[in-house]
Amino acid sequence: MPRRSRLRREEGLALVAVLLLMLVLTLLGGAAFVLTATDLKIGVNAQQQVGSLYAAEAGVQSLLAFYRGAPGAFFQKQTGGTLPLPEADTGAVSWEEYRIWLAALRYDPAPLPRYVELTVQAREPLSRAAARVKAVIAHNPLPGPFQIGLVSAGRVQLSGAVLQTGIHANAGYVLDPAQAEELRQKQHPLSQSVDPAAADYRPPLPQPFLTPADLAYFRNLAGSGQNLLLNGNRELFLTGNQQGRLIFVEGDVQVQGVALSGVTLVATGAITLAGSTSLNPVQQIDTALIAGRDVILKQEGPTAGVFWAGGSFVPEGFGELQGMVISQ
């Protein structure tokens, strides 16, 4: 073979080899780029997923802090706009760049709930990375008297009243047989502490006193947010839903209420309520009257609430009374 032909053949082989090498390097570079981009995307997605999880956990913590600061909201089974989280994705940023909302909420069906089950969802709007956190917020069991409804250190005697609550009387009770049977059929507790041999005997239940620590707790809460702290004897006119507000009065207070709801009223002295209170829009009790001395009701219509009196509970008016009564 002539020398020139051999050189041309070798040059052609070298060119092919160089082209093949460049192709291999290009493929390797492309693969490396794809792998790097994929790893970067996976890392960003993982980071956003972790961020969504942290945001959902932050939502749970905000609800826990809310219930600690407003225990009445827990016992009144509040929902909707009264809670710090919306019940659907409103598009508003709730925590850093994340949207947080309450995907599910279910209270203990007992009249005084012991727990609330909830699901908080969070989402990052650009990547749509999302996470859900399910949690149970519970409280320590309430003292026995608060779990029953109507508790008396003395004797309970009722006739003709329609009862839908538990009853315990340390000194015994006298009810119409039909009343007692209806309570048992509806599984309301009915007990007494007079006859140890009776099937409905329960040990005596002491009525809890409002302690200085209890009053200090409510006083501290009244000094924050929408709550109200008042000194001296007061006359108040309150109408409609008070949106979970706590009002603390250092002294006696006389209240004129018109369809009053959503309020916790605490007084170191006596509370006199004239008018009426009502259930909230979902037919739940969300009003509480807590007095260091007497609670006096001058009812002018239906009255619903939790009534805790350090002295006497005195219903002077007419109309239906719903709720729980604890009285010395």
Side-chain angles (χ1 to χ4, degrees):
M1 177 182 297
R3 180 179 179 82
R4 181 174 295 178
S5 299
R6 187 169 63 251
L7 290 174
R8 289 179 177 175
R9 181 180 180 186
E10 290 175 355
E11 289 174 354
L13 292 174
L15 179 60
V16 171
V18 170
L19 292 174
L20 289 175
L21 179 60
M22 290 179 64
L23 177 61
V24 171
L25 292 175
T26 300
L27 292 175
L28 290 175
F33 176 79
V34 171
L35 290 175
T36 301
T38 301
D39 289 342
L40 180 61
K41 186 175 181 180
I42 291 174
V44 171
N45 288 341
Q47 184 178 6
Q48 290 169 339
Q49 286 294 136
V50 171
S52 298
L53 179 61
Y54 288 161
E57 290 176 347
V60 173
Q61 292 301 320
S62 70
L63 282 169
L64 179 59
F66 172 76
Y67 283 132
R68 285 175 173 170
F74 181 92
F75 294 118
Q76 296 157 11
K77 303 183 181 182
Q78 290 187 7
T79 60
T82 58
L83 299 180
L85 295 180
E87 293 183 309
D89 183 4
T90 62
V93 174
S94 306
W95 185 80
E96 296 187 354
E97 72 272 22
Y98 292 90
R99 300 172 181 172
I100 309 174
W101 66 94
L102 198 57
L105 182 73
R106 189 184 76 86
Y107 286 95
D108 175 13
L112 278 179
R114 295 161 295 176
Y115 62 85
V116 58
E117 298 175 347
L118 53 93
T119 300
V120 175
Q121 186 163 337
R123 185 173 65 189
E124 200 281 323
L126 296 179
S127 67
R128 304 187 68 82
R132 283 190 171 196
V133 172
K134 293 184 177 181
V136 176
I137 296 177
H139 73 91
N140 294 327
L142 291 171
F146 287 99
Q147 299 179 24
I148 294 177
L150 175 60
V151 177
S152 171
R155 185 176 181 85
V156 171
Q157 183 168 349
L158 293 170
S159 177
V162 177
L163 300 175
Q164 296 188 39
T165 184
I167 295 177
H168 178 86
N170 285 347
Y173 62 80
V174 177
L175 302 179
D176 291 340
Q179 290 177 322
E181 182 60 27
E182 183 178 9
L183 289 176
R184 294 189 180 97
Q185 288 182 357
K186 294 183 177 180
Q187 297 184 341
H188 292 299
L190 179 62
S191 56
Q192 48 81 27
S193 302
V194 174
D195 183 6
D200 61 355
Y201 175 81
R202 298 292 182 274
L205 289 176
Q207 283 66 50
F209 283 95
L210 273 168
T211 67
D214 295 324
L215 293 175
Y217 171 76
F218 288 118
R219 187 182 293 110
N220 290 336
L221 287 180
S224 63
Q226 64 174 346
N227 301 326
L228 198 58
L229 178 59
L230 303 173
N231 292 315
N233 297 338
R234 296 284 178 151
E235 294 184 6
L236 303 177
F237 179 80
L238 301 174
T239 180
N241 191 344
Q242 299 294 304
Q243 303 296 326
R245 183 164 63 157
L246 168 66
I247 301 175
F248 188 96
V249 178
E250 295 276 7
D252 298 338
V253 58
Q254 297 187 36
V255 182
Q256 178 67 45
V258 177
L260 180 62
S261 66
V263 65
T264 298
L265 178 61
V266 184
T268 58
I271 296 176
T272 301
L273 173 66
S276 63
T277 64
S278 61
L279 302 176
N280 66 13
V282 292
Q283 298 301 298
Q284 296 171 340
I285 292 173
D286 61 358
T287 297
L289 303 185
I290 302 173
R293 298 207 313 271
D294 298 343
V295 173
I296 303 169
L297 300 185
K298 299 180 180 294
Q299 296 169 264
E300 299 173 7
T303 302
V306 175
F307 308 97
W308 183 5
S312 298
F313 175 75
V314 185
E316 294 183 346
F318 299 93
E320 182 181 67
L321 176 64
Q322 289 182 293
M324 292 174 291
V325 177
I326 302 295
S327 171
Q328 292 299 322

